[in-house]
Amino acid sequence: MRVLDSDLMKAYARMATDGFQQGWHERNGGNLSYRMKAEEVAALRDDFTENGEWRVIGWQENDESAFPGLAGEYFMVSGSGRYFRNIELDPAANVCIIELNERGDRYRIVWGLTEGGMPTSELPTHLANLEVLKERDPEIRIVYHCHPTNTIALTFVLPLDSRVFTREIFEMVTECAVVFPEGIGIVPWVICGGRVIGEMTAEIMKKQDIAVWAHHGAFCCGKTFDLAFGLMHTMEKAAEVLVKVLSMSPVKRNTITPDQFRELNEPFGIHINESFLYEKKDGTIGQLPEA
Ligand code: 2HA
Ligand code: ZN
């Protein structure tokens, strides 16, 4: 089967368009990776070229990295400098499939990027995350990075603290605590494309499904494109509500209380991490938990 005719390519391209239409992918912003299933590789293999050059997987610092937990796997990833708004129009020019070698320290392009180029500048960060996630749950295959406006805006006014950021987002839309009960991890501003930010994000992904990069964007993971997109969409919706609330008042008159959050656990079959359900002294938005 041709990659262009596959359900995988269609789902990938649809997600790119959905993200672009949300306004999360200005210019070449954002990147998307998918760890392919063995049966997808088998079905599409005839469409691959296997004479591509093996290349090192380098962070911006030009050091080499290895992802042995992903050795021999195939990934669909966006191209460096490519625009999400063009992916659905011409997937083969803007996306590629890469193969990792048996040590997980070299990759080669087996499909796509027909006009030349490289996988996303965040490739090592995606692989670092996908490696941690595969270990956490082999069904988690997607890592998605975008620039969601309201979430980014909040990184200028909320404390860059996972507990506070998560709690304020949780309070905005009931659904959030149900969809990501382990909350949001926060990475302070660090240069993107490098090892430090990549490893900080992967550390968060050991337990949490979303990492916000202060003054830049967010990373999330998922088992399917629907789940990964829905996760980002849910957080960003709550962030939009919070931006609106903050534009009216620095204080909430009414909100969801810790005990009300706890009421969600049983009916929804979740366990909201208690570290987010600290007592607050008043309705001031962004207050830190009492020491
Ligand atoms: O250019 O968003 O973080 C893609 C990015 C880098
Ligand atoms: Zn970015």
Side-chain angles (χ1 to χ4, degrees):
M1 182 191 254
R2 283 173 12 122
V3 174
L4 285 177
D5 298 328
S6 65
D7 289 344
L8 168 58
M9 187 72 255
K10 287 175 194 154
Y12 185 106
R14 178 176 173 226
M15 175 138 167
T17 299
D18 285 346
F20 172 71
Q21 285 173 349
Q22 290 296 322
W24 302 343
H25 295 282
E26 71 289 343
R27 203 171 182 276
N28 61 320
N31 22 77
L32 175 61
S33 61
Y34 173 83
R35 182 170 53 82
M36 292 172 70
K37 297 177 184 165
E39 61 264 32
E40 289 164 335
V41 175
L44 300 176
R45 197 166 222 137
D46 287 350
D47 206 16
F48 294 173
T49 44
E50 298 195 333
N51 52 8
E53 180 196 341
W54 290 102
R55 300 181 191 170
V56 299
I57 306 167
W59 303 82
Q60 221 162 39
E61 296 81 2
N62 285 327
D63 52 354
E64 294 185 18
S65 296
F67 303 95
L70 300 176
E73 298 240 33
Y74 290 76
F75 305 85
M76 185 174 276
V77 296
S78 44
S80 178
R82 302 298 164 149
Y83 290 28
F84 266 51
R85 67 188 281 264
N86 293 333
I87 286 179
E88 197 158 33
L89 215 59
D90 192 351
N94 294 293
V95 174
C96 61
I97 294 175
I98 60 166
E99 175 190 7
L100 255 57
N101 68 0
E102 73 287 354
R103 287 196 307 278
D105 65 354
R106 297 280 189 282
Y107 76 90
R108 65 178 176 184
I109 297 172
V110 298
W111 181 88
L113 289 178
T114 49
E115 292 164 12
M118 309 252 288
T120 167
S121 58
E122 302 288 1
L123 179 66
T125 292
H126 278 260
L127 294 176
N129 282 289
L130 287 164
E131 189 179 43
V132 159
L133 290 162
K134 182 182 170 187
E135 175 126 352
R136 195 179 115 189
D137 180 343
E139 294 299 311
I140 304 179
R141 306 186 164 276
I142 293 167
V143 169
Y144 177 47
H145 169 57
C146 67
H147 299 166
T149 315
N150 295 284
T151 301
I152 297 169
L154 290 177
T155 66
F156 293 89
V157 297
L158 290 181
L160 297 178
D161 175 294
S162 165
R163 291 174 72 193
V164 178
F165 206 95
T166 300
R167 174 64 175 276
E168 295 298 346
I169 290 287
F170 274 5
E171 285 183 26
M172 291 303 112
V173 178
T174 302
E175 196 74 2
C176 287
V178 177
V179 175
F180 45 99
E182 286 298 328
I184 300 163
I186 306 284
V187 179
W189 191 90
V190 179
I191 188 163
C192 49
R195 178 186 285 277
V196 173
I197 199 165
E199 290 183 345
M200 287 173 96
T201 310
E203 192 57 36
I204 288 170
M205 291 285 167
K206 284 182 183 169
K207 294 207 181 74
Q208 295 172 299
D209 293 343
I210 318 182
V212 166
W213 285 7
H215 324 322
H216 181 139
F219 265 78
C220 77
C221 67
K223 295 181 182 179
T224 65
F225 291 103
D226 275 347
L227 286 167
F229 185 81
L231 178 56
M232 191 66 78
H233 207 182
T234 305
M235 173 179 70
E236 173 61 3
K237 174 63 173 279
E240 182 179 349
V241 177
L242 185 51
V243 167
K244 288 183 196 296
V245 170
L246 278 162
S247 74
M248 294 184 280
S249 164
V251 179
K252 291 174 214 158
R253 180 189 287 255
N254 317 300
T255 192
I256 308 169
T257 67
D259 279 337
Q260 288 174 326
F261 279 117
R262 291 182 186 105
E263 281 180 41
L264 295 167
N265 283 331
E266 209 192 291
F268 287 92
I270 51 168
H271 182 74
I272 302 170
N273 191 317
E274 278 288 322
S275 71
F276 304 120
L277 304 183
Y278 51 86
E279 290 305 320
K280 290 181 168 180
K281 52 180 190 306
D282 56 35
T284 309
I285 295 168
Q287 62 189 277
L288 288 156
E290 308 264 314

